[in-house]
């Protein structure tokens, strides 16, 4: 296990050197090239470079990979899909000392701790020191709903505003802080060049169930003001709420529960990074395992 100082993972000390190494490489480089350039610049002894984790992974490169991940989150490095690490314009101009690196580290550990309430800061740090960044993120499977539920109420309204914009709505405005009869915002949905209509929306950052009465209150607030309404929640809707939303003779209210909300984020890839995961197919290799063995 890597040594830590005051709750700080050892890889934090590579934040600044990683940016310097990429500048020396012309702004981009392959992961191993970057690790080697850091080692060269800092004259790191071979003994240090050859240390391995309990998993068998090279400890130094693993630490550099985690340093890179934090710099991507902070916007200093581009998140490449082709195995190339590259500086962003922000990263080109940035030099980090140990204090600044620690501040970035603590900022993102706190963000992940809040998003993953079942993990302590210490557990997150220990986990990162023993796994590769991509491997850890795959195994964590941070739940999007947990992240959305960790936002402030106004933060959830703002992310819903962004989601509606990404989904084709125009002139989307958040009015939630005015407590306008339960209306959190409005926007315009254009069906075609000739037809468009105003839509009011409400955002409920819930873990529980939205009731029939709440749907009814929202509809009452929207009557005479818009043709359509949407309620978005990280929770669920009761059966009565669904029936109320689709009641004949009343303005229809579209209900977006937590599951549908996740699908909408996935459809527009908002705040999500698609990944292709390869798993070893052991049955495929099984016939080859005994080839060449002496009987």
């Amino acid at each position: 296990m890597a040594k830590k100082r005051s709750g700080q993972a050892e890889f934090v000390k590579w934040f600044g050197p990683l940016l310097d190494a990429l500048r020396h490489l012309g702004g981009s480089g392959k992961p191993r090239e970057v690790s080697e350039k850091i080692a060269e610049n800092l004259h790191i002894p071979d003994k240090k470079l050859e240390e391995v984790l309990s998993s068998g992974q090279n400890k130094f490169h693993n630490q550099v990979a985690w340093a890179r991940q934090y710099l991507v989150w902070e916007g200093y490095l581009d998140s490449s899909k082709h195995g190339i690490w590259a500086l962003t314009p922000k990263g080109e101009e940035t030099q980090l000392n140990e204090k600044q690196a620690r501040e970035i580290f603590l900022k993102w550990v706190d963000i992940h701790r809040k998003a993953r309430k079942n993990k302590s800061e210490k557990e997150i740090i220990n986990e990162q020191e023993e796994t590769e960044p991509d491997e850890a993120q795959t195994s964590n499977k941070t739940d999007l709903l947990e992240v959305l539920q960790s936002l402030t109420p106004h933060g959830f309204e703002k992310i819903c505003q962004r989601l509606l914009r990404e989904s084709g709505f125009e002139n989307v405005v958040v009015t939630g802080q005015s407590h306008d009869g339960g209306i959190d915002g409005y926007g315009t949905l254009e069906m075609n060049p000739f037809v468009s209509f105003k839509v009011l929306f409400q955002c409920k950052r819930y873990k529980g169930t939205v009731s029939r009465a709440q749907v009814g209150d929202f509809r009452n607030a929207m009557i005479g003001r818009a043709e359509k309404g949407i309620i978005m929640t990280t929770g669920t809707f009761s059966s009565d709420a669904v029936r109320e939303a689709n009641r004949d003779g009343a303005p229809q209210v579209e209900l977006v529960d937590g599951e549908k909300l996740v699908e909408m984020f996935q459809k527009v890839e908002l705040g999500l990074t698609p990944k292709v995961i390869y798993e070893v197919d052991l049955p495929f290799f099984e016939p080859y395992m005994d080839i060449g063995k002496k009987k």
Side-chain angles (χ1 to χ4, degrees), residues 150-161:
S150 72
L151 303 179
T152 64
H154 189 52
F156 183 57
E157 291 168 1
K158 297 294 287 185
I159 197 65
C160 286
Q161 176 190 41

Side-chain angles (χ1 to χ4, degrees), residues 200-219:
L200 300 180
F201 62 88
Q202 184 180 76
C203 309
K204 291 189 174 295
R205 186 181 54 90
Y206 276 15
K207 290 186 178 179
T209 302
V210 179
S211 69
R212 174 187 178 280
Q214 289 170 310
V215 174
D217 290 343
F218 174 70
R219 175 185 281 122

Side-chain angles (χ1 to χ4, degrees), residues 27-38:
S28 65
K30 292 184 177 180
R32 291 289 173 177
E33 286 181 317
V34 179
S35 294
E36 290 169 3
K37 179 57 69 173
I38 293 174

Side-chain angles (χ1 to χ4, degrees), residues 101-281:
R102 177 172 171 75
E103 289 172 352
I104 292 170
F105 167 75
L106 293 176
K107 167 187 171 181
W108 285 100
V109 167
D110 189 54
I111 289 172
H112 285 81
R113 181 184 58 78
K114 289 177 180 176
R116 298 163 58 204
K117 297 178 181 178
N118 63 324
K119 293 282 186 179
S120 68
E121 178 176 317
K122 182 178 179 181
E123 288 174 318
I124 291 173
I125 294 172
N126 290 344
E127 180 181 78
Q128 290 176 353
E129 290 179 324
E130 286 294 321
T131 59
E132 290 281 356
D134 288 346
E135 177 185 329
Q137 290 179 32
T138 299
S139 63
N140 289 341
K141 296 182 180 177
T142 301
D143 187 78
L144 176 59
L145 284 180
E146 289 183 0
V147 175
L148 294 174
Q149 289 165 353
S150 72
L151 303 179
T152 64
H154 189 52
F156 183 57
E157 291 168 1
K158 297 294 287 185
I159 197 65
C160 286
Q161 176 190 41
R162 173 71 182 275
L163 178 62
L164 290 172
R165 284 175 174 157
E166 295 284 350
S167 301
F169 285 74
E170 298 180 354
N171 305 314
V172 185
V173 177
V174 170
T175 62
Q177 296 209 321
S178 64
H179 304 292
D180 188 14
I183 305 299
D184 292 324
Y186 61 86
T188 302
L189 181 61
E190 184 177 295
M191 303 301 295
N192 57 54
F194 303 100
V195 179
S196 63
F197 51 84
K198 184 177 181 180
V199 178
L200 300 180
F201 62 88
Q202 184 180 76
C203 309
K204 291 189 174 295
R205 186 181 54 90
Y206 276 15
K207 290 186 178 179
T209 302
V210 179
S211 69
R212 174 187 178 280
Q214 289 170 310
V215 174
D217 290 343
F218 174 70
R219 175 185 281 122
N220 291 336
M222 62 174 276
I223 289 177
R225 302 169 62 184
E227 295 87 346
K228 202 172 192 66
I230 304 174
I231 300 178
M232 293 175 281
T233 182
T234 53
T236 60
F237 294 94
S238 69
S239 298
D240 285 342
V242 174
R243 284 190 285 269
E244 175 63 25
N246 296 285
R247 180 162 54 86
D248 291 338
Q252 187 175 8
V253 178
E254 295 288 342
L255 304 182
V256 179
D257 63 11
E259 183 176 346
K260 188 173 181 180
L261 193 64
V262 168
E263 291 175 0
M264 292 175 68
F265 273 81
Q266 292 173 339
K267 183 176 181 180
V268 298
E269 294 185 6
L270 180 61
L272 299 170
T273 302
K275 289 184 179 292
V276 176
I277 306 299
Y278 293 95
E279 294 183 357
V280 176
D281 182 6

